[in-house]
Amino acid sequence: MARACRVPRPAALLPLRVAAVALVLSFTSLASAESAWKDIWNSGSVAKQLSVEGDLQTRALIGQREQSATAAVRAANGKLRLDYRAGRRKWSLIDDGSKLIRLSPERRMAFAFPRPSLATDSALAQRNYVARAVGEAEVAGRPVKIVEVSRPHGPIAWRVWLDREYGFALKRERYNVDGRLVSGTEYTTIRFGVPVSSDVFEIPKDWKLVDENGGGRRYRVSDLSKQVGFEVATPRYLPQGYVLQGGYVERRGRHGRVAAELRYTDGLRLLSISQRMKGEGDDDRRGGSRHRGGRGEGRGGERGAGERGGRRGRGGGERGGGRERGGGRDGWGFGPPQGEAMTVIDRGSEKALRYFSKERVIVIVGDLPRDELVRVATSLD
Amino acid sequence: MSRELSNLVDLVARARAGDAGAFEALFGSLQAGIYSFIRGQVREAELAADLTQQTFVRAWESLPRLRQEGAFVGWLHRIASNLVRDEVKSGHARLEVAASDVLGDPPGVDLAPGPEEQVASQGLRTAVWEALDGLPAEQRSAVIMHHMEGMSVTEIAQAMNCRPGTVMSRLARAREALRRKLSSYVEDSDAGM
Amino acid sequence: MPECDRIRKQLSYYAVGGVRGGAHARVERHLASCAACRAELTALERTGAIVTSVGPVPAPPGTWEAIRDQILDRPRQAVPRPARRFWRVAIGVAALLIFALAVAFVRPFRAPQPPIAVAVELEADDTDTPATIESHLSAQWSAPLADEAAVGLRLSELGGS
């Protein structure tokens, strides 16, 4: 049977071609995305294994000012030491694997903080962000591969220059959620595999060590409530992609008031929500922190107090009754109470907001748009 | 050791409304009495201090439930008594007290500092506490509340959850016993005035 | 004297103010004429004064601080006010009904958002925010893709070195 063979005309083939090319491209980019992510995760683990000696320059945008410093770096066995220098200021930071220790040479004192180790949830990060290799370059005399990470359809969040041989990050740029470059670090010299003696990561014997912070133990919210002695409020609103990473006990201020800290993550960025019950000096505040340059009356701040008493008694606290009926909130009850302006402090790589609810003092820190921060804060009420 | 009732009522009302400064003032004027009251009942200084602390914390937490400000002192003592009773029940404390235990306070407590007259009154203090030691617990508590804390019979009755007549008879019987035990001081014309 | 014995038994009650009415008058009458009983009463009164003069033992130092730390960290129990509770509930129910009607028939409008100001400096009396920023940064140190050198720079700027 003779049937005219319908030879598809080139024009009709076009959609098919485009589809084919798109398919191929998407596979490639998928592959490249996968390898980009692999490089990223690898750079983190490699940094803990390599022994490294080098110098870097770092700069950070803090508020409106840019701070910069140089640092001599030594790393080995998962420990890291940075000896900073900025103008005439000198200080050092040691990560000994379990704590962060800040050394102050003029005072011959060392301050230790907990350094909570966040289990890397790569699946979460990969759900919320996209990574792609964007090119090649040279840093500190070594060839590198450049990888960019961003939220899908969002501005760039990180750019990292990874050493081709070791995968180690030789240069980094961090952008905040508004797309602004907020920190950058670049190695100027680096040597791998050099022996680093372990006493480099130790505090000089005759220095005073101040270790006031808690152990950084992670709790579930219900257990955290028991630890802090009040019911820990959780936000009803969370920015997209964020999940709870854990709860921590913190001590605040001169009198060591206990506060509960909740940490959320979207895989790469962090959101910290800290709360404590209002106390003396807090009662008369409503809404957000005051503007600088004073609108509203000034108030004596939290008064300093004497030493902490030794004993802790028993007894629980309950929540006071009554919800505040706020006008000015949006239809779903979020947003600041009517007439109250909220002041958000922009520190560059994060923003901070202090909010006084009916019974709590709440501080939110995160790299979020301003109104998201406000929504999270007010959803804790 | 008189307390202006109106001032107390005002402080209690403010503390109940959340004024921690007012509560601190209340603590200031009542702490020694409560501590002595508790020390009159439990053996260890540290335990008494701990119970004193718990008494005030619990009082702060429950203040909203107190309707009559004037009843504060008696109410505070009841809180203290309940806490002592709980400690005794749980076997953490015994009710006998030794005068030396009361006066052998941890360093920092001002018992009798300074000039020579104080040495004499140190002896008196010891004698009084030893005499109290010999009293039955309820009489001892009543005496501490009345004489050392300056509480009225009504307040003591509220604190001990009994009738004023009962308070009277406890005070009276204690007074008789103490008069005999402290006779050397009582007969001395310079005693304690 | 038998009357003295009787009166003596009441003297301690009399001394603490526990004798009233007729009995009180009887004691007074006896005291007016009996030096021995008067002396005994004086002794009883002195006893009371001695005990009063010794005074209470103060609580050890640090007691207030321990109390204050606890009362400031904990809110107290809410006290339901029975009298008002009914009205609160009634108003709440009414409000709910009105809201439900409003939602059903009227589009809820978005009230204008108050302005969100941005500042760059921490307030002087604010110890909470710097503490939270510090622990946020410490956690950031361990986060994937963290630029430790820059985080360290921020930490030092926050705390002062």
Side-chain angles (χ1 to χ4, degrees), chain A residues 61 65 67 84 89 91 95 116 182 185 252 261 272 276 285 289 291 302 313 315 318 342 344 346-347 349 370, chain C residues 70 74-75 117-119 123 125-128 131-132 134-136 141-142 145-147 149 152 154 156-157:
Chain A
L61 181 70
R65 293 164 298 146
Q67 304 273 62
Y84 287 89
R89 258 176 68 210
W91 72 98
D95 172 2
V182 291
T185 297
R252 284 283 124 86
E261 198 158 283
S272 299
R276 63 171 174 84
R285 304 237 197 162
S289 347
H291 277 282
E302 285 177 11
E318 305 296 322
M342 311 283 286
V344 171
D346 189 342
R347 310 267 309 166
S349 61
R370 265 173 275 165
Chain C
Q70 288 179 69
R74 295 174 213 266
V118 180
E123 288 183 71
D125 64 343
D126 180 358
T127 49
D128 296 288
T132 312
E134 188 174 77
S135 74
H136 180 89
W141 179 276
S142 327
L145 284 176
D147 180 350
R154 286 179 188 283
S156 82
E157 196 278 341

Side-chain angles (χ1 to χ4, degrees), chain A residues 36-332:
Chain A
W37 277 117
K38 258 176 67 185
D39 291 331
I40 285 171
W41 303 129
N42 180 56
S43 75
S45 49
V46 126
K48 296 205 183 8
Q49 295 156 23
L50 289 173
S51 77
V52 166
E53 211 180 83
D55 300 286
L56 53 75
Q57 277 171 346
T58 182
R59 45 188 221 290
L61 181 70
I62 303 177
Q64 305 288 39
R65 293 164 298 146
E66 187 180 286
Q67 304 273 62
S68 61
T70 57
V73 180
R74 276 166 292 182
N77 302 321
K79 301 187 189 179
L80 171 67
R81 177 178 175 135
L82 293 147
D83 295 301
Y84 287 89
R85 198 153 152 191
R88 278 179 308 162
R89 258 176 68 210
K90 280 191 199 171
W91 72 98
S92 303
L93 257 184
I94 296 176
D95 172 2
D96 75 354
S98 61
K99 281 194 188 299
L100 265 186
I101 304 162
R102 190 165 72 214
L103 300 178
S104 167
E106 306 127 9
R107 290 149 73 184
R108 298 166 76 78
M109 286 176 83
F111 303 87
F113 318 60
R115 170 198 154 289
S117 52
L118 303 173
T120 305
D121 190 344
S122 51
L124 181 63
Q126 289 180 221
R127 266 206 307 276
N128 288 316
Y129 290 89
V130 294
R132 36 184 235 280
V134 295
E136 295 175 4
E138 205 176 86
V139 176
R142 302 181 62 90
V144 293
K145 176 203 276 197
I146 311 175
V147 173
E148 275 182 12
V149 176
S150 60
R151 281 256 176 157
H153 316 298
I156 179 179
W158 281 271
R159 191 178 287 130
V160 285
W161 287 249
L162 304 174
D163 185 76
R164 276 202 158 278
E165 187 182 346
Y166 291 102
F168 186 84
L170 292 174
K171 180 171 170 179
R172 298 176 186 276
E173 275 173 4
R174 161 98 190 266
Y175 295 79
N176 71 8
V177 82
D178 307 316
R180 231 174 139 189
L181 176 63
V182 291
S183 40
T185 297
E186 182 175 345
Y187 276 85
T188 49
T189 68
I190 191 157
R191 282 177 301 284
F192 292 103
V194 290
V196 177
S197 81
S198 59
D199 59 2
V200 152
F201 307 107
E202 281 158 18
I203 305 165
K205 293 276 183 298
D206 55 342
W207 286 29
K208 182 164 154 51
L209 171 64
V210 176
D211 188 354
E212 294 169 346
N213 296 285
R217 201 185 129 171
R218 191 162 75 119
Y219 292 96
R220 281 194 302 251
V221 177
S222 51
D223 295 331
L224 183 62
S225 298
K226 293 195 191 98
Q227 287 293 317
V228 297
F230 60 85
E231 183 145 338
V232 174
T234 51
R236 284 173 291 145
Y237 173 78
L238 272 181
Q240 206 221 351
Y242 279 82
V243 301
L244 179 66
Q245 189 265 331
Y248 302 85
V249 178
E250 292 284 314
R251 295 222 156 250
R252 284 283 124 86
R254 277 152 289 177
H255 13 134
R257 288 197 195 145
V258 77
E261 198 158 283
L262 296 171
R263 191 147 300 127
Y264 294 83
T265 180
D266 66 358
L268 294 178
R269 287 195 169 107
L270 297 181
L271 171 64
S272 299
I273 300 178
S274 124
Q275 61 187 275
R276 63 171 174 84
M277 288 309 192
K278 278 189 194 170
E280 194 182 301
D282 298 326
D283 299 306
D284 51 347
R285 304 237 197 162
R286 290 287 316 138
S289 347
R290 301 272 188 266
H291 277 282
R292 246 173 70 81
R295 63 132 55 179
E297 54 298 336
R299 275 261 158 194
E302 285 177 11
R303 266 164 268 158
E307 295 76 41
R308 277 203 303 200
R311 290 169 283 262
R312 293 258 141 197
R314 287 160 257 149
E318 305 296 322
R319 254 195 265 207
R323 279 194 55 87
E324 183 229 24
R325 285 179 293 138
R329 296 188 172 208
D330 67 25
W332 302 106

